Amino acid sequence: MAKDKLAFFRRLLDTLEAGGQAVAATVVGIEGRPTGVAVGDHYLWTAAAHRGSPASSRLDDYLGEVASQVLAERRPRLERIETGEGAVTLFLEPVLPEPEVVVLGGGHVGQQVAFLAKFAGFRVSVIDDRPDFASRELFPSADRIICNNFTAALQEIPITPSTYIVIVTRGHRYDYECLREVIASPAAYIGMIGSRRRVQGVKERLREEGVALDLLERLHAPIGLAIGAETPAEIAISIMAEIIRVYRLGR
């Protein structure tokens, strides 16, 4: 049993370090005599694979059915499952890596987004190819600052379903480079600032290069909630409000 628990926690740690999501299930109660299940048993469900008791496929099936709900709700819950030989009560807990906002562009809007994202509890990474903008002076609270061209820098950081990407570069060319690099990633959110004409131009160029329409439809552009924002701080508030909506509600 101790060996099984050690394997469970190793898988749990590996999942978190890889930026993945999972549901951890612990048996906290048993009624009757369900085969192969004991109080204190741990199971871990991930999108790639889930592990349960070989003697209880009902538990495996159940975890597969409810995992997406537990992850979406982002809160633990108790569930009672009938197995055919009795009942098992599980404590289900979402395992979620720390959400990260990646700010592409160190200008005025990027600075405000980074500040608000950190204030809201997100991990923050900032990328800009200009040393004067990718600086600790402008981004004192950022967890990571990378000064490099956008394409190379984006290859340095892991993009996971807990990554929220904000493209606020200084020009059309850089918007295109960033979007091309991240559009097929598993990021939870990809938003790009710019006029409708500028955004449409970038999307059309990517379509001509063979990027699928359903990928481009993931893009949040115009970026942020429509609150009439004008100043960099107001725009950043609208962007973070949209990110929080996606983070909390999944849309």
Side-chain angles (χ1 to χ4, degrees):
M1 181 62 70
K3 183 178 180 181
D4 291 342
K5 287 187 177 181
L6 181 59
F8 165 82
F9 286 111
R10 280 177 173 163
R11 285 192 67 233
L12 180 60
L13 182 60
D14 289 345
T15 299
L16 285 172
E17 289 180 343
Q21 299 180 345
V23 174
T26 302
V27 178
V28 296
I30 291 177
E31 301 170 31
R33 295 185 178 182
T35 304
V37 182
V39 172
D41 283 355
H42 296 290
Y43 311 133
L44 188 69
W45 182 96
T46 68
H50 64 278
R51 301 284 176 83
S53 167
S56 183
S57 60
R58 176 72 184 96
L59 293 184
D60 284 348
D61 293 342
Y62 176 78
L63 287 176
E65 292 169 4
V66 303
S68 60
Q69 299 172 21
V70 175
L71 291 172
E73 293 171 0
R74 298 179 180 273
R75 59 172 62 91
R77 71 195 204 191
L78 284 169
E79 291 288 340
R80 183 177 180 275
I81 306 101
E82 295 287 347
T83 67
E85 299 174 313
V88 177
T89 300
L90 295 175
F91 179 72
L92 304 178
E93 187 172 11
V95 178
L96 301 165
E98 185 178 19
E100 178 179 22
V101 171
V102 177
V103 181
L104 303 177
H108 295 303
V109 173
Q111 292 166 33
Q112 295 294 329
V113 170
F115 168 76
L116 289 173
K118 193 63 179 178
F119 181 72
F122 290 76
R123 179 176 172 82
V124 176
S125 292
V126 177
I127 297 173
D128 201 293
D129 58 349
R130 300 166 293 178
D132 289 344
F133 286 83
S135 70
R136 184 59 62 184
E137 182 179 357
L138 293 181
F139 296 95
S141 62
D143 298 281
R144 171 168 49 192
I145 301 172
I146 301 175
C147 184
N148 201 346
N149 73 74
F150 292 106
T151 299
L154 282 166
Q155 294 173 355
E156 293 182 30
I157 62 175
I159 298 177
T160 75
S162 293
T163 305
Y164 298 78
I165 298 173
V166 177
I167 303 174
V168 284
T169 75
R170 64 188 183 277
H172 179 93
R173 166 194 163 190
Y174 304 103
D175 292 344
Y176 160 75
E177 290 178 359
C178 291
L179 189 58
R180 180 184 60 185
E181 192 66 30
V182 304
I183 194 62
S185 74
Y189 172 95
I190 302 172
M192 186 171 74
I193 202 169
S195 66
R196 293 183 184 277
R197 180 178 178 182
R198 174 171 159 180
V199 170
Q200 188 60 31
V202 172
K203 292 172 72 173
E204 287 177 358
R205 183 174 176 184
L206 290 173
R207 279 289 287 155
E208 291 171 358
E209 295 179 3
V211 176
L213 182 60
D214 61 331
L215 289 179
L216 293 173
E217 288 177 346
R218 301 176 58 206
L219 180 65
H220 292 259
I223 195 171
L225 298 185
I227 60 173
E230 295 184 2
T231 69
E234 290 173 350
I235 294 169
I237 289 170
S238 76
I239 292 171
M240 283 309 304
E242 186 170 58
I243 287 175
I244 291 169
R245 183 175 68 179
V246 172
Y247 174 62
R248 291 296 181 186
L249 303 179
R251 64 177 187 272

